[in-house]
Amino acid sequence: MRDSATEPVRILLVDDTRTNLAILSDYIHTQGWVALTASDGETALQQAQSASPDLILLDVMLPGIDGFETCRQLKAHAATADIPIIFMTALSDSANKIKGLKLGAVDYITKPFQQEEVVTRLDVQLRLHQMKCQLEQQNQLLNQKVVEQAKTEAQLQLLTYELEERVQSRTAELNSVLDNLTQTQVHLVQSEKMSSLGQMTAGLAHEINNPVNFIYGNLRPARRYFQDFIDLLTHYQTCYPNPPADLQEHLESVDISFVVKDAFNLLDSLEIGADRIRRIVLSLRNFSRLDEADIKSINIHEGIDSTLLILQHKLRGAVDSEPIEVIKHYSAAFEVECYPSQLNQVFMNILANAIDAIEENRSRLSEPEASSSAHTIEICTELTTDRQVIIQIADNGPGIPEAIRAKLFDPFFTTKAVGKGTGLGLSISHQIVVEKHGGQIQCLSEPGKGTRFLIKIPQTQRCLEPPAVGTESRCAIAQPI
Ligand SMILES: Nc1ncnc2c1ncn2[C@@H]1O[C@H](COP(=O)(O)OP(=O)(O)OP(=O)(O)O)[C@@H](O)[C@H]1O
Ligand SMILES: [Mg+2]
């Protein structure tokens, strides 16, 4: 390629008239340019290919192929297509001027030549061509830059994508670590809560058990001794119907006939009280079941009753308020394979929540409203034909809005005041029912219409398949309240 900055401009003159070639060559030389010449089309084509001139001045009328055909062939060839061509025509020949321009010529010069015009037109076209070349070079550079930029952008996009993927997978990892941590925390709190509650109730039961057994065990001999004393007294009265005056006076002041009658009432109530304590102790042991860490077959109703007994004081409520009525719809007794103390923990959590909800509702109602409406907890148990155990615990408390219902089983979710609730009761219950027993726990509730918890576990833990859906149930489970 010619270096335009150091090499002189070369112009190919194509004309079959020697005089024209000579005149034009002169003009060109005056500008310091180099003139190449050809007197026919074929020679012009060869010259153009070999010398690569900066511009071609082409006559229309040539021997052999004429100027137009020469122009067409120059434009058709890649090596010569970009060389600017200026036609030389007669002044009046406007048809040829147009034809030449249409074939790709950049300009025309009219004969006879005027030196200034020729030089000016050549100079303009040379400058234009140079600018065009520079523009093309710049364009090429620009295109290269665009391609490079596109490449960089593609790499950047790839990096961003990889980075996003890494962030996503890292976030997922972190979330799962966080989930595990929360679960572990729940497990820890649960086992701590379970063991401290269990140990406390078991300890209490043990401490009370011995003294109450003394009382209960001694009541029978005490009754017998009483009877012996009374028999002896009656015998005395029969043998000595007229005792001395001061003894008679003593007998009347003691009101012995009342004492005799009331002593047995007293013994009866002592026996009832001691029996009640014994039953509470039994319930406490039943509830804690510390000795039964493994799966056992138990009567589930005993677990519920023990839990109710432990919650008795909460159910009774304040002195001036109506107690919460517990309505039981127990099915016929059946055995369930389960972790008894853990299941009792579930009953405890749900029943305690129901009591709290009722109490909270009561505190919100006005005095006449609160005393007129009955507060109830309904417990329903059932064994379905496909051996699923269903326990439903429903309260007529304030109910739960949907937004809260969605978070109910989340660890640490609570609406209770600080120090009143840890927000773990239901998440622990969920874990016990679903993970430990392969069951389901569900909450049905509507604000103002109370809350119903449904627990469904398989009767035996050997088959941990998911329970069949749509099992017919006497308790109308899965019916919205
Ligand atoms: N029967 C119910 N009626 C109305 N709201 C309830 C009922 N049961 C649970 N809730 C709501 O669910 C929330 C979570 O209950 P959960 O037992 O998990 O925690 P908590 O009772 O707040 O605290 P704790 O860990 O002491 O049990 C409660 O704070 C309460 O808002
Ligand atoms: Mg709770």
Side-chain angles (χ1 to χ4, degrees), residues 290-435:
L290 274 193
D291 44 337
E292 296 169 13
D294 293 333
I295 289 184
K296 274 213 122 188
S297 261
I298 55 135
N299 175 359
I300 212 154
H301 300 141
E302 281 177 11
I304 301 174
D305 286 341
S306 306
T307 313
L308 283 170
L309 209 87
I310 288 169
L311 289 169
Q312 198 63 48
H313 69 288
K314 285 190 89 179
L315 288 163
R316 246 183 258 128
V319 188
D320 52 349
S321 65
E322 279 292 304
I324 297 168
E325 189 189 354
V326 177
I327 303 162
K328 297 181 199 168
H329 300 290
Y330 287 173
S331 71
F334 57 83
E335 298 264 293
V336 187
E337 268 183 14
C338 63
Y339 296 92
S341 66
Q342 300 207 7
L343 218 52
N344 287 346
Q345 183 75 33
V346 174
F347 302 143
M348 173 70 109
N349 285 332
I350 295 178
L351 285 166
N353 280 346
I355 296 169
D356 285 350
I358 288 173
E359 284 307 332
E360 191 205 311
N361 207 23
R362 213 189 321 233
S363 66
R364 265 198 254 131
L365 297 174
S366 64
E367 185 54 42
E369 272 179 320
S371 51
S372 67
S373 50
H375 302 286
T376 57
I377 292 177
E378 215 177 315
I379 306 171
C380 179
T381 62
E382 179 182 9
L383 180 65
T384 64
T385 44
D386 60 347
R387 303 180 69 204
Q388 299 296 320
V389 177
I390 294 167
I391 304 133
Q392 298 190 57
I393 300 174
D395 64 69
N396 64 351
I400 308 172
E402 199 179 338
I404 290 184
R405 223 160 53 232
K407 299 185 226 157
L408 222 52
F409 296 104
D410 288 356
F412 305 108
F413 173 77
T414 182
T415 58
K416 293 172 190 171
V418 180
K420 231 195 149 201
T422 60
L424 282 174
L426 288 179
S427 89
I428 287 170
S429 303
H430 189 274
Q431 231 172 43
I432 293 173
V433 173
V434 178
E435 284 170 32

